[in-house]
Amino acid sequence: MIYKYKAITKEGESIEGFFEASEESDVLTMLKTNDYLPVSVEKDIGADAQISLFSTKVKKKDLAVFCRQFYTMVDAGIGIVKCFDILEAQTSNKTLKAALKAIYEDVQKGFTISEAMNNHANVFPPILINMIEAGEVSGTLDTILERMANHFEQENKLESKIKSALIYPTALIVVSISVVIFMLVAVLPTFIGMFDGSGTALPWPTQILLDMSSWLQNYLYIFGLAVIIILVGGIYFISTHEGRRFVDGLKIKIPGIRVTNTKIITSRFTRTLSTLMASGIPLLQALEVVGKVLNNVVVQDKLTNSMDGIRRGAALSRAVKSMEIFPPMVDSMISIGEESGALDDILAKTADFYDDEVEMSLQRMTTLIEPILLVGMAVVIGFIVIAMALPMFEMVNTI
């Protein structure tokens, strides 16, 4: 949900902008974190519709290119205002281009980069905004931007691996369903007249296929409408907080995909936390940001609950272990990092390890799924062929 807010800064300046959040309280938390005095917060239905229907999603690849180009210019000594002018001119993504143009204008008015980017929280993820704010305070903006470029490049690689692993199974399922529907609707009806005129009793497999073919021919529009309703209903359900929680819970419970999803979450958790801590972000603030980039509401809630223990003085390793989500290796590595004082470095190495584990796990999962789908497709099409051939054999025997 997109919320439109109005607030007053510490300097007494009135600002307004949009923020993507599941609840109004999240917007108020964001404003208080930035020392803004909230004036009004309301749902912006128009912004939701515009973003969902007309805007182009800003991908990790776009953010990686943005950070890499921004870093190069800052490192070369180009002024911030000029940087955003150049970035806006050469960006092809329409959503990112519009946001950069607005930031360019806000920076000219005296806003800091993080303040200007925070007005476009639907475009820039929390980790990027927090990191740039840390870079502005510490005077290490170029270093921060280089780290963020590396971070988003790694995230883009991870997403690409996941998508690549899902392309073939998805395509095979779609082709299989399309072939079956085509055979039932277009091929099988050509044999109906021949079967009816033979005068022989049809075998039960053939009769089942004929009934299915007849139903699809007469009610294909109902079948298509039902599929559309199910898809739209499923998408709407997933977009709700309860639906998202239900689906995210299944991701870490269903055998077969649970291990792979856990490794993906572990990779994101360790890499993001490493990047934040290496840049001097306080642990609790870093964990809040990490929870938002894990892309799993159930794990985010467990992480939020574990933060209560850290506030009371518990070690991060103990808090992570209490979540009962991550593999045992993670809390052990974190414990070593806490004892050695090199937690960010240990987390980075752990992230590298689980990046490789994710790739191998996806390959194994794809290797198992492919033969199962092929066998399933062969069984279904084989059943159709046999069901069509049986009456022909009986007709030949009768003759």
Side-chain angles (χ1 to χ4, degrees):
M1 179 64 68
I2 304 298
Y3 288 87
K4 183 178 181 180
Y5 65 83
K6 293 182 180 179
I8 298 175
T9 66
K10 291 184 292 185
E11 292 76 21
E13 233 182 297
S14 179
I15 62 168
E16 61 180 58
F18 299 94
F19 188 79
E20 184 176 4
S22 56
E23 298 177 357
E24 185 178 320
S25 59
D26 294 335
V27 186
L28 295 173
T29 301
M30 180 276 295
L31 293 173
K32 291 176 182 177
T33 302
N34 289 279
D35 293 327
Y36 295 154
L37 177 64
V39 175
S40 66
V41 175
E42 57 187 13
K43 292 181 181 178
D44 192 88
I45 300 174
D48 272 337
Q50 184 178 5
I51 288 171
S52 60
L53 296 177
F54 301 109
S55 62
T56 307
K57 183 180 178 181
V58 180
K59 301 177 181 178
K60 295 291 192 301
K61 182 179 179 180
D62 298 321
L63 293 172
V65 172
F66 160 72
C67 291
R68 183 68 65 188
Q69 291 176 338
F70 196 6
Y71 157 71
T72 302
M73 287 186 282
V74 171
D75 191 52
I78 299 175
I80 297 298
V81 175
K82 183 63 176 176
C83 285
F84 278 103
D85 187 27
I86 297 172
L87 288 167
E88 187 269 329
Q90 64 185 16
T91 300
S92 57
N93 186 288
K94 294 181 179 179
T95 303
L96 183 58
K97 191 180 187 73
L100 291 175
K101 183 178 181 181
I103 292 172
Y104 168 71
E105 295 171 355
D106 287 342
V107 171
Q108 283 183 312
K109 295 175 184 177
F111 284 84
T112 64
I113 303 171
S114 56
E115 288 173 341
M117 291 177 72
N118 205 28
N119 291 333
H120 305 276
N122 60 304
V123 176
F124 301 103
I127 182 174
L128 181 57
I129 298 173
N130 281 270
M131 290 287 284
I132 285 183
E133 183 180 6
E136 289 176 312
V137 172
S138 62
T140 57
L141 183 60
D142 54 344
T143 304
I144 294 294
L145 287 170
E146 185 179 21
R147 283 179 185 161
M148 291 312 302
N150 294 331
H151 173 82
F152 286 123
E153 285 166 1
Q154 291 294 330
E155 281 286 298
N156 181 54
K157 287 180 182 178
L158 180 61
E159 289 186 356
S160 297
K161 290 174 185 176
I162 297 170
K163 290 176 182 176
S164 298
L166 295 176
I167 286 175
Y168 181 75
T170 303
L172 191 58
I173 291 171
V174 172
V175 170
S176 302
I177 294 173
S178 301
V179 167
V180 170
I181 292 175
F182 174 76
M183 292 183 72
L184 290 175
V185 175
V187 178
L188 196 59
T190 60
F191 294 87
I192 292 178
M194 182 174 61
F195 293 156
D196 290 340
S198 66
T200 60
L202 296 176
W204 66 266
T206 310
Q207 190 61 55
I208 290 174
L209 282 181
L210 290 177
D211 292 340
M212 291 177 62
S213 176
S214 177
W215 188 90
L216 280 174
Q217 289 180 78
N218 295 326
Y219 303 105
L220 184 60
Y221 66 96
I222 295 179
F223 176 76
L225 185 62
V227 171
I228 293 172
I229 291 174
I230 291 171
L231 287 175
V232 173
I235 293 171
Y236 174 76
F237 177 68
I238 293 173
S239 67
T240 63
H241 187 69
E242 293 77 12
R244 177 78 181 276
R245 178 181 293 277
F246 175 76
V247 173
D248 287 347
L250 290 179
K251 288 180 182 178
I252 56 176
K253 289 179 181 177
I254 297 179
I257 66 171
R258 178 180 62 83
V259 174
T260 302
N261 270 297
T262 300
K263 289 177 180 178
I264 291 170
I265 291 169
T266 302
S267 174
R268 282 182 172 150
F269 172 80
T270 50
R271 186 169 302 285
T272 306
L273 187 57
S274 170
T275 304
L276 290 164
M277 296 194 68
S279 303
I281 305 292
L283 178 58
L284 289 173
Q285 185 180 346
L287 290 174
E288 288 181 4
V289 176
V290 169
K292 296 176 182 178
V293 302
L294 291 179
N295 201 28
N296 191 297
V297 175
V298 175
V299 179
Q300 182 179 352
D301 289 345
K302 285 180 176 289
L303 182 61
T304 301
N305 293 334
S306 71
M307 288 168 60
D308 293 335
I310 296 175
R311 290 190 182 94
R312 292 192 295 267
L316 175 62
S317 56
R318 183 179 298 177
V320 168
K321 186 176 182 179
S322 68
M323 292 174 62
E324 298 180 345
I325 294 290
F326 302 108
M329 174 184 168
V330 176
D331 55 85
S332 299
M333 293 293 284
I334 291 176
S335 179
I336 294 170
E338 288 173 325
E339 292 174 3
S340 64
L343 182 57
D344 55 340
D345 189 42
I346 292 290
L347 286 169
K349 291 177 180 177
T350 306
D352 291 336
F353 171 80
Y354 278 103
D355 279 346
D356 295 334
E357 283 288 301
V358 167
E359 186 172 3
M360 288 188 290
S361 185
L362 288 171
Q363 287 176 350
R364 283 195 297 267
M365 188 172 67
T366 306
T367 304
L368 288 172
I369 289 175
E370 285 179 13
I372 292 173
L373 292 176
L374 288 172
V375 170
M377 184 178 179
V379 168
V380 172
I381 295 178
F383 175 81
I384 294 174
V385 172
I386 292 171
M388 293 169 63
L390 283 175
M392 296 181 186
F393 291 142
E394 292 189 10
M395 289 169 61
V396 170
N397 293 331
T398 302
I399 293 173

